[in-house]
Amino acid sequence: MIKSVLLTSKYYNKTKGEEVFAVLKRTTEIKNKLSECIYANRHLLFVSDGIKKLNTLYSSVNLHNDETAENPTKDPLILSWNIQKEHQMLVDKYKNALNKRLQNLKVRLQSEMIIERYKKDTKYAKKGDTKRFEIKFKSTKLTKFVKYLVYLELDKDILPQLKNEGITALYEYYKTKPYFARIVNLAKNIQTRILNKLKLIKFTETSSLLLDHTVNKARIDYDNENTLYKYWFVFRMKNGKEFRLPLQINGDYHNGTKKPTAKEFVIYPSAKGNKINIATVYEAEKPIFKPYSKPIGMDLNLKNNFATLSDGYTVDYDRNYMKRIVSNLKELDQIGYQNLTAKQLKKLKKIYRQLDWYVSYLIYSLLNYLEKNNITDLVIENLLLSGKFGINEEFDIKYSRLSKLLHLSDVKNKLITQAEKRGIRVHITPSHYTSQTCPVCGHISRSNRKTQEDFECENCGHKANADLNASKNILLRFVSDVLKTNLHNTDDYGRLTPKKLNNYTIKNILNRYLCRHQAVLHHPVCA
């Protein structure tokens, strides 16, 4: 089982530390020059062999500010292999950025324009003022054809590039039309707009460097004779120059990492700039989980607390602490990120580091409770935070930003990692309808959630705390064999992950189960 691990070097010789930082600083300068070259030739991203051409451009980039340099494409400190590797990774970043743009691309036709006007004077508007303006769009065979063309190399013959029979039929149809050239030009214009929206990747701070076990002789050495540091990270650069950094090894955290199996390492400075981090992977032992004994459901939320468990236990965050954090962030917001001084940027980074630590502490406290109560399985929902709108009145901050501050999108991964070390399985279930389902009659409706705090079924009148109700619904999807099978996949360790199902399918599965097995809802585990 392959796992990642982060090692740190802090108490190094000042001269050695400065030499390593010089390597990283020079790498950052080279990466910026490589990025400028790729960005200037980003049109190749749409060409069939464009990626191959982009990957070879590193050999033509002038790495020096001096145009008269004897070897402008060579560097006296960084190996050519490292330069090539960093260049290829930058090409991948630009390609991924383009793919994201293409995935979000929508080609549609305007179908309707709706304009509603006030029929009489109101407090804020006069008769005849625009009350509502909306443009509706529709998709057609033509828009489907144009979108497909955007992915092609349009300066070459189009027909051989078509792999879809339906698109080929559309091509044969539109090819006979007098406006076919306009269709192709439209696809080209879309390509151009997408390329123009790609942003130049620029490294403003000291960046990372990828090191290879063979090329750079990167490795972890063990020195039994050294009384202070037993483990050392070693690598070489140009002309065989060797760099050695002492490592801080924690016997518990780094257990099993004495002989990493990685052929590559990534080194980069810490956020404060006072340490050098080394990231790699190693062959870890398979996790050992506790025998199944007691499951529990958990609902994560933003307003009332951090998490509510199906047994009624809650984990809350420090309100005063969050108010201080939000107050400090608002002060920096008023200045504007672009106008922040170096000291203020340092303060901002510190705030985010503290918040990251605080969320880890909340998870630590939660897992302590689970262990104390002999809970072996934790069920949580697959958080979808894109729909969190509105303002949190307590902190006077948008819910979307509060969720980012509390790292809710990463809580799932942190929970899985930390729980695994304690032998607790974390199961992920679809988040759909967990807060809208009545545990008594099985009725599913958005109207059941009267407020953020209260749940009241419009069908049977059942009332409950909304967060507690959601956590029980989450647990039900684990204790019910039917829902467990229909809604989830299972990994080698018995942990559940959501199947790829749309809202309609999930609701049908829930309704069929709830209508036939209402008695199971009073299972003692859920009661």
Side-chain angles (χ1 to χ4, degrees):
M1 184 177 184
I2 301 298
K3 280 196 172 185
S4 62
V5 65
L6 181 65
L7 305 168
T8 302
S9 180
K10 180 178 181 181
Y11 302 107
Y12 43 73
N13 178 281
K14 183 178 180 182
T15 303
K16 291 181 179 179
E18 289 175 349
E19 288 178 344
V20 174
F21 274 106
V23 170
L24 295 176
K25 184 176 180 181
R26 180 57 187 151
T27 302
T28 304
E29 294 171 354
I30 291 174
K31 287 165 75 171
N32 280 327
K33 290 183 178 294
L34 296 174
S35 180
E36 290 171 2
C37 174
I38 299 169
Y39 186 77
N41 294 277
R42 61 190 184 279
H43 62 278
L44 293 173
L45 293 170
F46 274 116
V47 180
S48 56
D49 59 345
I51 300 297
K52 186 182 293 185
K53 291 179 181 177
L54 283 173
N55 281 331
T56 60
L57 287 178
Y58 76 95
S59 59
S60 62
V61 177
N62 187 341
L63 303 176
H64 306 271
N65 295 325
D66 184 5
E67 296 292 337
T68 61
E70 186 176 347
N71 293 309
T73 61
K74 303 291 183 181
D75 189 81
L77 183 60
I78 311 299
L79 289 169
S80 296
W81 181 90
N82 294 103
I83 295 173
Q84 179 185 3
K85 197 69 176 177
E86 296 295 339
H87 181 84
Q88 290 173 353
M89 289 191 292
L90 280 169
V91 171
D92 290 339
K93 285 186 176 181
Y94 276 105
K95 182 62 178 176
N96 291 336
L98 176 65
N99 288 338
K100 285 183 179 180
R101 292 281 181 182
L102 290 172
Q103 287 172 5
N104 296 327
L105 174 65
K106 293 180 180 179
V107 181
R108 299 173 299 178
L109 293 176
Q110 180 178 323
S111 62
E112 185 181 1
M113 182 183 294
I114 301 173
I115 302 177
E116 291 183 6
R117 302 186 183 278
Y118 285 94
K119 297 180 179 180
K120 60 181 181 179
D121 292 344
T122 66
K123 184 177 180 180
Y124 300 103
K126 295 182 179 180
K127 181 180 179 180
D129 288 349
T130 302
K131 183 178 182 180
R132 175 183 169 224
F133 177 81
E134 181 184 356
I135 297 178
K136 292 190 174 182
F137 298 91
K138 64 179 180 180
S139 296
T140 64
K141 292 181 178 180
L142 176 60
T143 60
K144 181 181 179 181
F145 181 62
V146 172
K147 184 174 181 178
Y148 193 95
L149 290 179
V150 173
Y151 289 82
L152 305 181
E153 193 174 346
L154 298 177
D155 290 329
K156 293 184 178 180
D157 189 7
I158 294 175
L159 185 58
Q161 302 180 61
L162 303 179
K163 307 298 182 183
N164 184 295
E165 292 183 2
I167 296 297
T168 303
L170 290 175
Y171 172 82
E172 298 292 351
Y173 172 76
Y174 288 115
K175 182 70 175 177
T176 61
K177 302 298 179 181
Y179 50 82
F180 179 74
R182 291 175 59 190
I183 295 176
V184 176
N185 284 333
L186 174 60
K188 287 183 177 179
N189 290 336
I190 294 174
Q191 287 182 345
T192 302
R193 290 202 301 269
I194 291 175
L195 289 175
N196 289 337
K197 287 181 179 180
L198 290 181
K199 295 182 179 179
L200 172 68
I201 298 174
K202 191 171 183 180
F203 302 92
T204 56
E205 299 179 354
T206 306
S207 183
S208 62
L209 172 63
L210 179 69
L211 299 170
D212 182 72
H213 175 73
T214 304
V215 178
N216 302 106
K217 306 299 181 185
R219 64 193 186 277
I220 294 177
D221 279 350
Y222 180 75
D223 186 358
N224 191 40
E225 296 180 1
N226 193 305
T227 56
L228 291 177
Y229 301 102
K230 301 295 183 183
Y231 299 95
W232 296 76
F233 178 67
V234 185
F235 68 96
R236 293 180 185 178
M237 293 307 290
K238 210 73 174 269
N239 301 320
K241 181 174 176 56
E242 190 172 84
F243 299 83
R244 295 178 63 86
L245 294 169
L247 296 176
Q248 295 168 268
I249 298 290
N250 181 303
D252 295 327
Y253 178 74
H254 297 113
N255 184 33
T257 64
K258 296 178 181 179
K259 294 181 180 179
T261 58
K263 300 299 180 183
E264 294 179 342
F265 299 80
V266 176
I267 64 170
Y268 59 95
S270 63
K272 290 185 178 180
N274 61 337
K275 301 178 183 178
I276 297 173
N277 294 329
I278 301 101
T280 187
V281 296
Y282 70 100
E283 183 70 32
E285 295 180 359
K286 293 183 178 180
I288 300 174
F289 294 101
K290 299 173 183 177
Y292 174 79
S293 174
K294 184 180 179 183
I296 199 166
M298 183 178 78
D299 177 58
L300 283 171
N301 60 84
L302 291 169
K303 185 174 182 180
N304 303 314
N305 48 58
F306 178 72
T308 301
L309 301 183
S310 54
D311 64 355
Y313 181 78
T314 60
V315 179
D316 201 359
Y317 43 83
D318 189 324
R319 305 285 165 160
N320 292 328
Y321 173 75
M322 288 302 301
K323 286 178 181 177
R324 290 197 303 271
I325 290 292
V326 171
S327 177
N328 290 333
L329 286 174
K330 285 184 177 180
E331 289 179 7
L332 298 175
D333 286 345
Q334 291 178 352
I335 300 171
Y337 183 82
Q338 301 295 333
N339 302 321
L340 295 179
T341 64
K343 185 177 181 180
Q344 290 166 335
L345 281 172
K346 189 175 181 181
K347 179 181 178 181
L348 181 62
K349 291 179 181 178
K350 183 178 180 180
I351 289 173
Y352 283 115
R353 286 199 307 273
Q354 289 174 338
L355 281 168
D356 187 61
W357 173 87
Y358 186 62
V359 173
S360 297
Y361 171 74
L362 291 174
I363 293 173
Y364 169 80
S365 302
L366 169 66
L367 292 175
N368 282 345
Y369 174 81
L370 299 184
E371 276 197 319
K372 184 179 178 180
N373 289 273
N374 300 317
I375 293 167
T376 58
D377 294 78
L378 175 67
V379 193
I380 64 173
E381 59 185 339
N382 192 26
L383 288 171
L384 301 173
L385 300 174
S386 58
K388 297 289 184 182
F389 300 108
I391 302 290
N392 182 291
E393 296 178 358
E394 183 178 4
F395 303 126
D396 190 24
I397 187 174
K398 290 182 178 179
Y399 277 113
S400 57
R401 190 171 190 191
L402 182 60
S403 67
K404 290 179 181 178
L405 292 178
L406 291 173
H407 297 263
L408 289 192
S409 59
D410 197 40
V411 165
K412 175 177 65 177
N413 297 326
K414 288 188 175 185
L415 259 175
I416 293 173
T417 302
Q418 292 190 30
E420 189 176 281
K421 295 176 182 178
R422 302 185 186 219
I424 299 173
R425 285 171 292 270
V426 175
H427 308 274
I428 315 297
T429 190
S431 60
H432 308 76
Y433 311 111
T434 56
S435 63
Q436 301 176 18
T437 304
C438 176
V440 175
C441 68
H443 178 61
I444 299 175
S445 173
R446 184 175 296 178
S447 301
N448 288 347
R449 188 74 177 261
K450 300 300 182 183
T451 65
Q452 185 70 24
E453 297 83 5
D454 301 316
F455 177 93
E456 183 178 348
C457 179
E458 63 179 2
N459 181 56
C460 70
H462 171 71
K463 296 181 180 180
N465 174 276
D467 298 329
L468 180 60
N469 185 76
S471 65
K472 290 186 176 184
N473 286 330
I474 291 170
L475 175 60
L476 176 64
R477 298 183 183 186
F478 175 78
V479 298
S480 162
D481 290 336
V482 174
L483 295 181
K484 181 188 290 187
T485 303
N486 292 334
L487 295 177
H488 310 92
N489 294 314
T490 307
D491 69 6
D492 295 336
Y493 305 102
R495 293 177 294 191
L496 305 183
T497 55
K499 287 183 177 179
K500 291 184 178 180
L501 304 171
N502 58 37
N503 296 9
Y504 177 78
T505 303
I506 292 174
K507 192 169 186 178
N508 273 347
I509 292 172
L510 291 172
N511 277 331
R512 285 200 304 270
Y513 173 81
L514 295 171
C515 289
R516 297 175 184 175
H517 304 276
Q518 289 182 15
V520 180
L521 293 171
H522 299 286
H523 189 285
V525 175
C526 305

PDB file of all heavy atoms in Angstrom, residues 68 138 225 239 248 337 419 430 437 458 517:
ATOM      1  N   THR A  68      23.612  37.538 -24.327  1.00  0.00           N
ATOM      2  CA  THR A  68      24.897  37.144 -24.912  1.00  0.00           C
ATOM      3  C   THR A  68      25.521  35.964 -24.171  1.00  0.00           C
ATOM      4  O   THR A  68      26.707  35.668 -24.346  1.00  0.00           O
ATOM      5  CB  THR A  68      25.868  38.337 -24.881  1.00  0.00           C
ATOM      6  OG1 THR A  68      26.091  38.723 -23.506  1.00  0.00           O
ATOM      7  CG2 THR A  68      25.303  39.520 -25.654  1.00  0.00           C
ATOM      8  N   LYS A 138     -31.338  27.332 -25.390  1.00  0.00           N
ATOM      9  CA  LYS A 138     -31.681  25.955 -25.719  1.00  0.00           C
ATOM     10  C   LYS A 138     -30.513  25.303 -26.467  1.00  0.00           C
ATOM     11  O   LYS A 138     -29.693  25.982 -27.096  1.00  0.00           O
ATOM     12  CB  LYS A 138     -32.940  25.897 -26.581  1.00  0.00           C
ATOM     13  CG  LYS A 138     -32.786  26.564 -27.948  1.00  0.00           C
ATOM     14  CD  LYS A 138     -34.068  26.459 -28.757  1.00  0.00           C
ATOM     15  CE  LYS A 138     -33.907  27.139 -30.123  1.00  0.00           C
ATOM     16  NZ  LYS A 138     -35.154  27.043 -30.931  1.00  0.00           N
ATOM     17  N   GLU A 225      26.484   6.999  13.490  1.00  0.00           N
ATOM     18  CA  GLU A 225      27.528   7.613  14.286  1.00  0.00           C
ATOM     19  C   GLU A 225      27.182   9.038  14.718  1.00  0.00           C
ATOM     20  O   GLU A 225      27.788   9.564  15.656  1.00  0.00           O
ATOM     21  CB  GLU A 225      28.845   7.617  13.504  1.00  0.00           C
ATOM     22  CG  GLU A 225      29.368   6.213  13.215  1.00  0.00           C
ATOM     23  CD  GLU A 225      30.673   6.240  12.451  1.00  0.00           C
ATOM     24  OE1 GLU A 225      31.163   7.365  12.164  1.00  0.00           O
ATOM     25  OE2 GLU A 225      31.214   5.157  12.148  1.00  0.00           O
ATOM     26  N   ASN A 239      27.524  19.240 -11.681  1.00  0.00           N
ATOM     27  CA  ASN A 239      28.930  18.978 -11.357  1.00  0.00           C
ATOM     28  C   ASN A 239      29.086  18.101 -10.110  1.00  0.00           C
ATOM     29  O   ASN A 239      30.119  18.167  -9.428  1.00  0.00           O
ATOM     30  CB  ASN A 239      29.702  20.288 -11.174  1.00  0.00           C
ATOM     31  CG  ASN A 239      29.660  21.158 -12.415  1.00  0.00           C
ATOM     32  OD1 ASN A 239      29.761  20.656 -13.539  1.00  0.00           O
ATOM     33  ND2 ASN A 239      29.496  22.466 -12.232  1.00  0.00           N
ATOM     34  N   GLN A 248      14.011  15.662  10.699  1.00  0.00           N
ATOM     35  CA  GLN A 248      13.328  15.473  11.982  1.00  0.00           C
ATOM     36  C   GLN A 248      12.380  14.287  11.829  1.00  0.00           C
ATOM     37  O   GLN A 248      11.364  14.378  11.138  1.00  0.00           O
ATOM     38  CB  GLN A 248      12.553  16.743  12.353  1.00  0.00           C
ATOM     39  CG  GLN A 248      13.446  17.941  12.620  1.00  0.00           C
ATOM     40  CD  GLN A 248      12.650  19.225  12.704  1.00  0.00           C
ATOM     41  OE1 GLN A 248      12.465  19.924  11.711  1.00  0.00           O
ATOM     42  NE2 GLN A 248      12.171  19.542  13.892  1.00  0.00           N
ATOM     43  N   TYR A 337      -6.546  42.309  -1.303  1.00  0.00           N
ATOM     44  CA  TYR A 337      -5.423  41.363  -1.347  1.00  0.00           C
ATOM     45  C   TYR A 337      -4.238  41.930  -2.122  1.00  0.00           C
ATOM     46  O   TYR A 337      -3.083  41.754  -1.732  1.00  0.00           O
ATOM     47  CB  TYR A 337      -5.886  40.046  -1.970  1.00  0.00           C
ATOM     48  CG  TYR A 337      -4.815  38.978  -1.984  1.00  0.00           C
ATOM     49  CD1 TYR A 337      -4.560  38.213  -0.854  1.00  0.00           C
ATOM     50  CD2 TYR A 337      -4.044  38.744  -3.138  1.00  0.00           C
ATOM     51  CE1 TYR A 337      -3.571  37.237  -0.847  1.00  0.00           C
ATOM     52  CE2 TYR A 337      -3.049  37.779  -3.141  1.00  0.00           C
ATOM     53  CZ  TYR A 337      -2.822  37.035  -1.993  1.00  0.00           C
ATOM     54  OH  TYR A 337      -1.828  36.084  -2.000  1.00  0.00           O
ATOM     55  N   ALA A 419      -8.831   8.675  11.170  1.00  0.00           N
ATOM     56  CA  ALA A 419      -9.600   7.543  11.707  1.00  0.00           C
ATOM     57  C   ALA A 419      -8.930   6.220  11.366  1.00  0.00           C
ATOM     58  O   ALA A 419      -8.980   5.265  12.156  1.00  0.00           O
ATOM     59  CB  ALA A 419     -11.022   7.577  11.160  1.00  0.00           C
ATOM     60  N   PRO A 430     -24.125   9.415  -0.150  1.00  0.00           N
ATOM     61  CA  PRO A 430     -24.592  10.591  -0.888  1.00  0.00           C
ATOM     62  C   PRO A 430     -25.305  11.575   0.040  1.00  0.00           C
ATOM     63  O   PRO A 430     -26.052  11.169   0.940  1.00  0.00           O
ATOM     64  CB  PRO A 430     -25.563  10.006  -1.923  1.00  0.00           C
ATOM     65  CG  PRO A 430     -25.151   8.596  -2.076  1.00  0.00           C
ATOM     66  CD  PRO A 430     -24.641   8.163  -0.745  1.00  0.00           C
ATOM     67  N   THR A 437     -35.639  14.059   4.736  1.00  0.00           N
ATOM     68  CA  THR A 437     -36.347  12.785   4.915  1.00  0.00           C
ATOM     69  C   THR A 437     -36.898  12.654   6.332  1.00  0.00           C
ATOM     70  O   THR A 437     -36.179  12.898   7.309  1.00  0.00           O
ATOM     71  CB  THR A 437     -35.409  11.606   4.623  1.00  0.00           C
ATOM     72  OG1 THR A 437     -34.874  11.754   3.307  1.00  0.00           O
ATOM     73  CG2 THR A 437     -36.153  10.282   4.729  1.00  0.00           C
ATOM     74  N   GLU A 458     -44.205  17.527   6.945  1.00  0.00           N
ATOM     75  CA  GLU A 458     -45.489  18.065   6.501  1.00  0.00           C
ATOM     76  C   GLU A 458     -46.529  16.962   6.314  1.00  0.00           C
ATOM     77  O   GLU A 458     -47.715  17.244   6.184  1.00  0.00           O
ATOM     78  CB  GLU A 458     -45.317  18.835   5.185  1.00  0.00           C
ATOM     79  CG  GLU A 458     -44.846  17.966   4.025  1.00  0.00           C
ATOM     80  CD  GLU A 458     -44.712  18.749   2.726  1.00  0.00           C
ATOM     81  OE1 GLU A 458     -44.955  19.966   2.754  1.00  0.00           O
ATOM     82  OE2 GLU A 458     -44.366  18.135   1.698  1.00  0.00           O
ATOM     83  N   HIS A 517     -40.248  -0.517   4.123  1.00  0.00           N
ATOM     84  CA  HIS A 517     -39.554  -0.929   5.345  1.00  0.00           C
ATOM     85  C   HIS A 517     -39.631   0.142   6.430  1.00  0.00           C
ATOM     86  O   HIS A 517     -38.659   0.413   7.118  1.00  0.00           O
ATOM     87  CB  HIS A 517     -38.086  -1.231   5.039  1.00  0.00           C
ATOM     88  CG  HIS A 517     -37.887  -2.256   3.984  1.00  0.00           C
ATOM     89  ND1 HIS A 517     -37.913  -3.603   4.244  1.00  0.00           N
ATOM     90  CD2 HIS A 517     -37.679  -2.141   2.649  1.00  0.00           C
ATOM     91  CE1 HIS A 517     -37.721  -4.275   3.111  1.00  0.00           C
ATOM     92  NE2 HIS A 517     -37.569  -3.407   2.130  1.00  0.00           N
TER      93      HIS A 517
END
